[in-house]
Amino acid sequence: MSTTHSHASSRFELSGVRFEVDYRLPGPESVARERAGHLVVEQTIEYPLDLVKQEWIRDGIVGRIERLSGAGDSFLATISYSTEVVGGDLTQFLNVVFGNASILPHVRVEDIRVPSSLLAAFPGPRFGHRGLRNLLRVPERPLLCTALKPMGLGPRELGTMAYQFARGGIDVIKDDHGLANQAFCPFHDRVARAAEAVHKANEETGKNCLYAPMVAGPHEDVWERIRFAKAMGAGAVVVAPGLNGFDLIRRIAADTSLSLPVLCHPSLLGGMVQSEGHGFSHGVLFGLLPRLAGADCSIFPSYGGRFSFSQEQCQDIAFRCKQPLGHFRTILPGPAGGMSVERVPELIDFYGRDMMLLVGGDLHRTGPDLTRNALAFLGTVL
Amino acid sequence: MSTTHSHASSRFELSGVRFEVDYRLPGPESVARERAGHLVVEQTIEYPLDLVKQEWIRDGIVGRIERLSGAGDSFLATISYSTEVVGGDLTQFLNVVFGNASILPHVRVEDIRVPSSLLAAFPGPRFGHRGLRNLLRVPERPLLCTALKPMGLGPRELGTMAYQFARGGIDVIKDDHGLANQAFCPFHDRVARAAEAVHKANEETGKNCLYAPMVAGPHEDVWERIRFAKAMGAGAVVVAPGLNGFDLIRRIAADTSLSLPVLCHPSLLGGMVQSEGHGFSHGVLFGLLPRLAGADCSIFPSYGGRFSFSQEQCQDIAFRCKQPLGHFRTILPGPAGGMSVERVPELIDFYGRDMMLLVGGDLHRTGPDLTRNALAFLGTVL
């Protein structure tokens, strides 16, 4: 707790370092320019510009239109903000980027460029793509992930399932994202059993399969759940920022003593990409933001499954996981959502080998021997 | 912390009590029915239905299509879920209602009906409409709210502003939602000064104006910030569930020793209502969900301001704040977003007197004497 009662002066010295957001706005140009002019105020001072007496607030705190490009009915307004308005806080960063803009129609965040000095305020992915590979001792092939399900099974049954998958060479075994703390499958019991089962399998296989429990839950319990998972030997965690906020990912990534990889799950976030002209681009919401928060892998619904993201949108997500971002590690795209073993070659073609491929229900389809089914999955990437 | 390692049996006894969600789906009817059939699985077991061996999971855990109504290209599918899948957890409730559905196209949550037994898992609004009025000792007229701004001012200046507004009869003075923990306006200093200023004004006026700081922020700091605010004498808090999750509201509402009213702010949530056929209805997202989480007032962008919600959408939000909801208290709609003193009579006509009316920038427009401007605002509702 910081209780510094500093006497912030009425003329604050800004560093001049700014971050940039590209907003897609509808045309014509005059309208796009006018709306960009509203955005620079709405996202910062929310106050009549003509009433601002302090020049440094007008020039430094209010956003700045850097560029307006485009034609016809679609324009890209690049707006910059002082890094100081963020105060080193990820929730405030999101607030500035899209807080009130989210309740305006037809504003879409297409890109965000964050300077190193602001990146330095966040821990970044602790493991990233390379760190995860090192942990798993899998240097080159695609990583394999599956989920414990269906909801309704108890801790003992899910533990057995985890053991079978770990024996079959799955790299990361995660809770299905609907496993919470239900009476039929209490969190602590499930996590203890699944972690123990995976540990036992690892001793037998000599591998280092990771069990990743879903750690959503009540605000006052979620950190205890994460520490419990660690104490039981879970090797990673799944966080859904739509449920608990992006900042929970940052907190986990920042914790040195915890040192757990984070898989980001898209639950509830989808509403922010489903309108073509509003919200976030797929790449920003499911690639850049999880990485900025510190996730090591971003799970998202791949094209060709039960969901409807296009190839282009999925490509954008994968690109954002890997594009240069200051000193931040690259992370793994985690295509999911109805993937099948049969499609592995095609998915490798599309995403490359640096991904974590999540196959869930399909691993149960080819017979009751889950270890054998997992081995068949593994066989497709060897 | 609960570390019960219960041995959940493989045949769990469900209570049979269910909650219902109305999803808007596009037609024709055969397509809507097929998609409803996918939803009942997607929102629960995420697993091939034909592979589920346990009858109780197929019948009890998987959602159930209760009704399908509509015609042409728009249908309403009423789906029910066992209350047990929620496990008494608000994040899991949201997960089931719309987690993965959010990444499917064209699904909109139009209504949710929650039985008393599930409502009982949540604290509900601690104060609600009546409780807030009692606290403020304002039995009947519309409540008046304003925000400390613009961002860039320091704690001392905002403290002075808070004093002036409190002297002028404003009921609730909140931080602008962009006030975080910036170096030019650190959280602790600002909150201490603003709370003290409002306290001083209250001693002079004999009223009980409440100061409500914005308590977004890092996951590990946010609870300390809330407790600090309480300790300094803040009378309420502002929470943005889009930044820190709906569950933070629940946690505050549940805390007896804290006993602070919560104002819900819509930042970042807007993406979930901007597509006509996707996301949540305005009433559910900005009325029902804040109330379910335990907010006492839901701030939202009213028609006729800087934003674009229609009269019908605003009416829907206000209705959800007040409609019967088990034993839950009714809460106050908080129309905001560019409201002006001039429009007060019209807004009373529209929302009725049971609201908290937020006028921000406009209170600075009519001259530098903020107390006088506030008194003029107060005059419109006396």
Side-chain angles (χ1 to χ4, degrees), chain B residues 141-147 165 168-172 335 339-344 347-348 355-360 362-363 366 370-382:
Chain B
R141 65 164 170 78
L143 300 179
L144 306 185
C145 181
T146 192
F165 280 136
I170 301 293
D171 299 302
V172 177
M339 299 299 96
S340 64
V341 174
E342 191 177 54
R343 287 184 59 209
V344 171
L347 292 165
I348 293 177
M355 66 167 161
M356 180 179 291
L357 183 51
L358 202 165
V359 174
D362 194 58
L363 284 191
T366 41
L370 298 182
T371 299
R372 193 154 90 174
N373 302 350
L375 284 169
F377 183 20
L378 180 62
T380 63
V381 297
L382 291 180

Side-chain angles (χ1 to χ4, degrees), chain B residues 34-85:
Chain B
E34 191 190 340
R35 296 202 54 207
H38 288 158
L39 270 182
V40 297
V41 173
E42 192 64 52
Q43 297 309 103
T44 54
I45 61 166
E46 280 192 85
Y47 189 87
L49 204 48
D50 58 303
L51 296 181
V52 178
K53 294 177 211 83
Q54 300 82 347
E55 200 185 317
W56 79 278
I57 293 181
R58 225 166 28 232
D59 292 351
I61 298 291
V62 173
R64 186 186 297 158
I65 305 174
E66 301 286 349
R67 288 178 294 285
L68 186 72
S69 60
D73 61 359
S74 179
F75 286 80
L76 206 62
T78 297
I79 291 176
S80 72
Y81 304 99
S82 285
T83 54
E84 279 86 355
V85 303

Side-chain angles (χ1 to χ4, degrees), chain B residues 1 253 326:
Chain B
M1 164 180 163

Side-chain angles (χ1 to χ4, degrees), chain A residues 1-10 12 14 42-48 50-52 54 56-57 61 84-87 89 91-92 94-96 98-106 149-157 176-186 188-189 192-193 214 216-220 222-225 228 232 243-248 250-251 265-272 274-275 278-280 286 301 306-309 361-362 364-365, chain B residues 1-10 12 14 42-48 50-52 54 56-57 61 84-87 89 91-92 94-96 98-106 149-157 176-186 188-189 192-193 214 216-220 222-225 228 232 243-248 250-251 265-272 274-275 278-280 286 301 306-309 361-362 364-365:
Chain A
M1 164 180 165
S2 152
T3 48
T4 317
H5 288 222
S6 72
H7 297 262
S9 79
S10 58
F12 187 82
L14 294 170
E42 192 64 53
Q43 296 310 101
T44 55
I45 61 167
E46 278 192 87
Y47 189 87
D50 59 300
L51 296 181
V52 178
Q54 301 82 347
W56 79 277
I57 293 180
I61 297 290
E84 279 86 354
V85 302
V86 169
D89 173 359
T91 60
Q92 172 63 2
L94 295 169
N95 209 10
V96 174
F98 201 57
N100 269 12
S102 78
I103 40 180
L104 287 164
H106 311 304
K149 51 174 140 183
M151 183 197 288
L153 296 186
R156 200 180 310 199
E157 293 153 306
D176 208 24
H177 83 288
L179 302 189
N181 187 33
Q182 295 99 341
F184 51 78
C185 192
H188 293 92
D189 193 17
R193 284 171 189 271
M214 172 78 181
H219 193 270
E220 62 271 45
V222 73
W223 194 250
E224 180 277 320
R225 289 189 186 176
F228 179 84
M232 290 298 106
L243 303 179
N244 286 86
F246 272 100
D247 193 71
L248 181 59
R250 182 217 41 87
R251 183 180 181 186
H265 190 282
S267 176
L268 210 66
L269 288 180
M272 299 193 188
Q274 295 286 359
S275 167
H278 193 78
F280 291 94
F286 297 113
R306 297 193 308 275
F307 298 89
S308 62
F309 288 10
D362 195 57
H364 298 256
R365 189 157 285 296
Chain B
M1 164 180 163
S2 153
T3 49
T4 317
H5 288 221
S6 73
H7 296 262
S9 79
S10 57
F12 187 83
L14 294 170
E42 192 64 52
Q43 297 309 103
T44 54
I45 61 166
E46 280 192 85
Y47 189 87
D50 58 303
L51 296 181
V52 178
Q54 300 82 347
W56 79 278
I57 293 181
I61 298 291
E84 279 86 355
V85 303
V86 168
D89 173 359
T91 61
Q92 172 63 3
L94 295 168
N95 210 9
V96 174
F98 200 58
N100 269 11
S102 79
I103 41 180
L104 287 165
H106 311 304
K149 49 175 144 183
M151 184 197 287
L153 296 186
R156 200 179 312 200
E157 292 153 306
D176 209 23
H177 82 289
L179 303 188
N181 187 32
Q182 294 100 340
F184 51 77
C185 192
H188 294 92
D189 193 16
R193 284 172 188 271
M214 171 77 181
H219 194 269
E220 63 270 44
V222 74
W223 194 249
E224 180 277 319
R225 287 189 187 176
F228 179 85
M232 289 298 106
L243 303 179
N244 285 87
F246 272 101
D247 193 71
L248 181 59
R250 183 216 40 90
R251 184 181 182 186
H265 189 282
S267 177
L268 209 67
L269 288 180
M272 298 193 190
Q274 296 285 357
S275 168
H278 193 77
F280 291 93
F286 297 113
R306 298 193 308 275
F307 298 89
S308 62
F309 288 8
D362 194 58
H364 299 255
R365 189 155 289 292

Side-chain angles (χ1 to χ4, degrees), chain B residues 289-355:
Chain B
L289 291 183
R291 189 172 166 203
L292 205 57
D296 301 290
C297 169
S298 177
I299 296 168
F300 64 92
S302 180
Y303 76 92
R306 298 193 308 275
F307 298 89
S308 62
F309 288 8
S310 69
Q311 291 201 355
E312 194 187 352
Q313 290 159 349
C314 293
Q315 204 65 269
D316 186 23
I317 296 169
F319 169 74
R320 296 303 190 149
C321 291
K322 301 174 185 182
Q323 72 172 149
L325 182 65
H327 66 288
F328 273 31
R329 299 176 202 279
T330 60
I331 67 172
L332 284 169
M339 299 299 96
S340 64
V341 174
E342 191 177 54
R343 287 184 59 209
V344 171
E346 171 215 335
L347 292 165
I348 293 177
D349 257 10
F350 188 81
Y351 292 106
R353 297 173 75 78
D354 292 333
M355 66 167 161

